[in-house]
Amino acid sequence: MHFTSALLSLCLAAAAAATPLHLVILDVFVPRITAPAAGTVWTSRTQQNVTWDVSGAPASISNEALLMLRKGELTAPFILAKGFDLRAGSLEITVPYVLTDSDYSLVLFGDSGNFGPVFTIQSDTDSSAVEDFSLA
Ligand SMILES: *[C@@H]1O[C@H](CO)[C@@H](O)[C@H](O)[C@H]1NC(C)=O
C-alpha cells in the first residue's frame, strides 16, 4: 500500500467520525420583551399591551408562563399574569396601582426569566407618600 493513500484514508475516517454531531435543539425559550420599551410611561390602572418576540419559539413550551413586575433591582413577588400562551407574543394587562417611579421593568418567565427594558409607571402617589414610614 502507498503511504499517502493510507494517510488519506485515515483522514477521511477521522472526518467521517466527526460528522455524526447532530445539533440538539433544546426546548429553551427566552422571549425578549419588545413592549413596554425603555422610557415608556404607563398610568396605573390602565390597560396596556405587553409584547415579546416569539421568533424561535418551540412548538410546545413546557414551563408555565409568568409575568412579574420588577422595581429597581428587586423582582418583587408581584404577579401580573400567569399561565398565558408564551407563543402569542402579546398580553393585555392592567397596570397595577403602585407608587410613581421610573425604575419599573417586567420579567417574563418562560424557560428562564427575561428582564425587559426599564419604564415608568405613574399613579397619583409617589415615594414621598411613604417616606415617613422609613425604618431607619
Ligand atoms: C392590545 O392589542 C390588541 C390586539 O392588537 C388590541 O385589540 C388592543 O386594543 C390592545 N390593547 C391596548 C390597551 O392597546
Side-chain angles (χ1 to χ4, degrees):
M1 273 308 209
H2 309 293
F3 176 73
T4 47
S5 64
L7 187 62
L8 182 64
S9 300
L10 194 65
C11 289
L12 290 173
T19 44
L21 287 175
H22 297 289
L23 289 176
V24 177
I25 301 185
L26 298 172
D27 185 17
V28 172
F29 181 44
V30 184
R32 184 177 57 88
I33 295 172
T34 48
T40 295
V41 178
W42 277 356
T43 301
S44 281
R45 298 186 282 200
T46 60
Q47 298 293 114
Q48 299 290 343
N49 276 329
V50 176
T51 63
W52 58 92
D53 186 0
V54 293
S55 58
S60 68
I61 296 169
S62 46
N63 290 15
E64 188 165 34
L66 186 65
L67 182 66
M68 297 189 78
L69 181 68
R70 178 175 159 90
K71 185 179 192 305
E73 295 303 308
L74 182 70
T75 300
F78 196 110
I79 298 166
L80 290 164
K82 180 173 175 266
F84 51 92
D85 187 359
L86 267 176
R87 287 162 299 169
S90 76
L91 181 71
E92 195 174 71
I93 58 142
T94 301
V95 181
Y97 188 26
V98 291
L99 299 172
T100 295
D101 221 329
S102 56
D103 62 348
Y104 289 101
S105 60
L106 300 181
V107 190
L108 185 55
F109 289 91
D111 294 301
S112 81
N114 196 18
F115 298 157
V118 174
F119 66 99
T120 296
I121 296 179
Q122 276 183 344
S123 71
D124 59 2
T125 309
D126 65 29
S127 56
S128 66
V130 292
E131 267 169 13
D132 294 343
F133 299 98
S134 133
L135 299 173

